[in-house]
Amino acid sequence: MNNTERRDNEMAYIADEKAFAEMAACRKKLQKLNFTDRSDLEGVAAAARELLGNVEGMIVNPPFYCDYGTNIEVGKNFFANYNCTIIDVAKVKIGDNCLLAPNVAIYTAGHPIYPTTRNSAYEYGKAVTIGDNVWIGGNSVICPGVTIGSNVVIGAGSVVTKDIPDWCVAVGNPCRVLRKITDEDKRKLFKDEEIDNEAWEDIVKRGFSD
């Protein structure tokens, strides 16, 4: 197999001229996204679609960084806040209604541990999968090969090194499940504060209380 095939099969590979050409094409799209006038919301949205596809309800607040773009698949209503980075050597699949807070980093790339082996220029990519309705807090890092379930909150500053199951709050370095999310959380806003009645009535009216 050539290096591109090895990379795409999550095997040890060397980033060769073909890989660098693919990354260069991505950087042209990133240049457009990251240097479009930030007040030109339609222009920023169009540049994000060129990079990540025509995704319903997608919002990307630049700057945003990735290696290829073509290895990133996001669902509807995807939101990436300022300064997010996705190193997409391998596939990164993100479900519907997912929120990335500022400075979130998703890494699929890695290198051999042993120093002389690492100096050979071989590296690898391991896919990351994130389910639906996931909120990842600011300055969190998602490491290669991790799967995060649906309906999950990852607390700010977490380093996610292992899989996280559905319906939970997980925090820390390394990230661990803190507790399950239950119906008692429906009106929670911040710590023990609840959503006020006026806002809750609007949420119920619009069908978001189930």
Side-chain angles (χ1 to χ4, degrees), residues 108-203:
T108 67
H111 305 270
I113 291 175
Y114 199 80
T116 53
T117 309
R118 188 166 61 248
N119 292 341
S120 69
Y122 273 95
E123 56 183 295
Y124 63 85
K126 298 296 180 182
V128 168
T129 301
I130 299 171
D132 297 331
N133 308 311
V134 174
W135 172 24
I136 300 178
N139 292 292
S140 293
V141 176
I142 314 301
C143 292
V146 163
T147 295
I148 297 174
S150 294
N151 308 304
V152 169
V153 175
I154 303 294
S158 294
V159 178
V160 186
T161 61
K162 296 182 179 180
D163 293 353
I164 302 296
D166 296 345
W167 285 101
C168 69
V169 176
V171 300
N173 179 8
C175 189
R176 295 184 176 88
V177 173
L178 179 64
R179 65 178 181 85
K180 298 293 290 183
I181 295 173
T182 70
D183 286 349
E184 294 180 358
D185 292 301
K186 281 189 177 182
R187 287 193 65 162
K188 289 289 179 65
L189 184 65
F190 178 70
K191 297 184 178 179
D192 292 328
E193 179 183 350
E194 289 194 341
I195 296 169
D196 64 273
N197 288 334
E198 182 180 6
W200 183 249
E201 288 174 4
D202 180 60
I203 288 169

Side-chain angles (χ1 to χ4, degrees), residues 199-209:
W200 183 249
E201 288 174 4
D202 180 60
I203 288 169
V204 172
K205 182 179 179 181
R206 293 165 58 212
F208 288 100
S209 62

Side-chain angles (χ1 to χ4, degrees), residues 7 10 68 71-72 87-92 108-109 125-128:
R7 178 198 65 194
E10 299 190 359
Y68 296 95
N71 284 334
I72 302 172
I87 304 300
D88 59 323
V89 168
K91 184 77 172 181
V92 175
T108 67
K126 298 296 180 182
V128 168

Side-chain angles (χ1 to χ4, degrees), residues 31-157:
Q31 182 80 3
K32 184 174 182 180
L33 171 62
N34 291 334
F35 289 91
T36 296
D37 184 339
R38 304 292 170 81
S39 67
D40 180 6
L41 300 182
E42 286 298 324
V44 170
R49 289 193 296 271
E50 287 184 28
L51 180 68
L52 300 177
N54 190 22
V55 179
E56 178 186 347
M58 176 174 63
I59 298 175
V60 176
N61 280 338
F64 177 88
Y65 306 99
C66 61
D67 273 345
Y68 296 95
T70 52
N71 284 334
I72 302 172
E73 178 184 334
V74 302
K76 65 182 181 181
N77 303 321
F78 172 72
F79 176 70
N81 217 327
Y82 306 107
N83 208 44
C84 285
T85 300
I86 301 179
I87 304 300
D88 59 323
V89 168
K91 184 77 172 181
V92 175
K93 185 175 181 180
I94 301 174
D96 294 340
N97 308 309
C98 288
L99 311 176
L100 307 185
N103 301 306
V104 166
I106 300 173
Y107 302 146
T108 67
H111 305 270
I113 291 175
Y114 199 80
T116 53
T117 309
R118 188 166 61 248
N119 292 341
S120 69
Y122 273 95
E123 56 183 295
Y124 63 85
K126 298 296 180 182
V128 168
T129 301
I130 299 171
D132 297 331
N133 308 311
V134 174
W135 172 24
I136 300 178
N139 292 292
S140 293
V141 176
I142 314 301
C143 292
V146 163
T147 295
I148 297 174
S150 294
N151 308 304
V152 169
V153 175
I154 303 294

